[in-house]
C-alpha cells in the first residue's frame, strides 16, 4: 500500500494534460500519438485535440494489478507507429519507469511525455508536467468516485 494518496479530478487532469500539450507545441511536429493503455488514453485524447493530431494509436502494457506491480506484458503493439519516428508517446504517469522503458524499446525514435512523474521514473521520459513523491499513489478520476470522508482531525492515526 502507498504511504500517501493524491486525488486528481477530471478538471485537474484536463488542465494538466492541456499544460503538457502547451509544453509539447515546440517539440514537434508530430504525425501521431501512441497512447499507453489504459492510463494514457484520456490524456492522449486531450493532447491529440490540442495539437490537432488525428492519428492516435495505442500500445497496451500490463504492469499493475491494483497497487501491485508485476512484470510488464505487452498485449498490443502500436503497429501504425513503426519505430516511433514522428510519434509522441503519451501516458498519465511514469512511476518506476518500467512501462516507459518497455515502450521506449518498441518506439526508440518517439518523443515520450507524461502528465505526472515520480523520481524513479522521470529519466525514462522526455518531459512531464507535475512531479509527485515516490511514495504517493495517484488516484485518477477513472479509478474513484466521490464520497464522504472523515475530516483528518477525526481519523485514527495509522
Amino acid at each position: 500500500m502507498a504511504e500517501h494518496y493524491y486525488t486528481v479530478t477530471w478538471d485537474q487532469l484536463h488542465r494538466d494534460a492541456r499544460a503538457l500539450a502547451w509544453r509539447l507545441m515546440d517539440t514537434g511536429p508530430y504525425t501521431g500519438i501512441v497512447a499507453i493503455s489504459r492510463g494514457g488514453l484520456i490524456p492522449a485524447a486531450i493532447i491529440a485535440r490540442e495539437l490537432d493530431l488525428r492519428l492516435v494509436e495505442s500500445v497496451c502494457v500490463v504492469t499493475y494489478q491494483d497497487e501491485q506491480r508485476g512484470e510488464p506484458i505487452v498485449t498490443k503493439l502500436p503497429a501504425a507507429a513503426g519505430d516511433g519516428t514522428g510519434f509522441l508517446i503519451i501516458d498519465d504517469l511514469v512511476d518506476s519507469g518500467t512501462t516507459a522503458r518497455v515502450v521506449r524499446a518498441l518506439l526508440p525514435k518517439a518523443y515520450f511525455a507524461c502528465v505526472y512523474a515520480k523520481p524513479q521514473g522521470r529519466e525514462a521520459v522526455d518531459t512531464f508536467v507535475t512531479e509527485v513523491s515516490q511514495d504517493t499513489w495517484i488516484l485518477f478520476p477513472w479509478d474513484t468516485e466521490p464520497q464522504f470522508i472523515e475530516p483528518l482531525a477525526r481519523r485514527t492515526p495509522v
Side-chain angles (χ1 to χ4, degrees), residues 8-75:
V8 174
T9 65
W10 286 110
D11 287 342
Q12 181 178 354
L13 179 72
H14 192 240
R15 280 191 306 274
D16 291 344
R18 287 190 79 223
L20 181 57
W22 188 263
R23 182 171 290 178
L24 294 168
M25 289 289 293
D26 295 328
T27 64
Y30 297 104
T31 305
I33 289 179
V34 174
I36 298 179
S37 174
R38 294 177 308 206
L41 292 170
I42 292 169
I46 295 166
I47 291 165
R49 185 220 182 249
E50 296 302 329
L51 298 183
D52 200 21
L53 296 170
R54 301 292 177 136
L55 177 54
V56 179
E57 171 66 283
S58 65
V59 60
C60 302
V61 182
V62 179
T63 308
Y64 283 93
Q65 179 62 42
D66 300 318
E67 292 183 35
Q68 300 301 314
R69 187 178 0 209
E71 289 299 313
I73 300 167
V74 177
T75 59

Side-chain angles (χ1 to χ4, degrees), residues 20 23-24 36 89-101 103-104 110-130:
L20 181 57
R23 182 171 290 178
L24 294 168
I36 298 179
I89 302 166
I90 299 293
D91 205 356
D92 58 347
L93 166 73
V94 62
D95 187 326
S96 66
T98 300
T99 299
R101 285 188 284 280
V103 175
R104 246 201 213 285
Y111 191 88
F112 201 130
C114 62
V115 183
Y116 306 103
K118 292 185 180 182
Q120 288 181 9
R122 69 178 173 224
E123 86 291 337
V125 299
D126 295 308
T127 193
F128 61 91
V129 173
T130 302

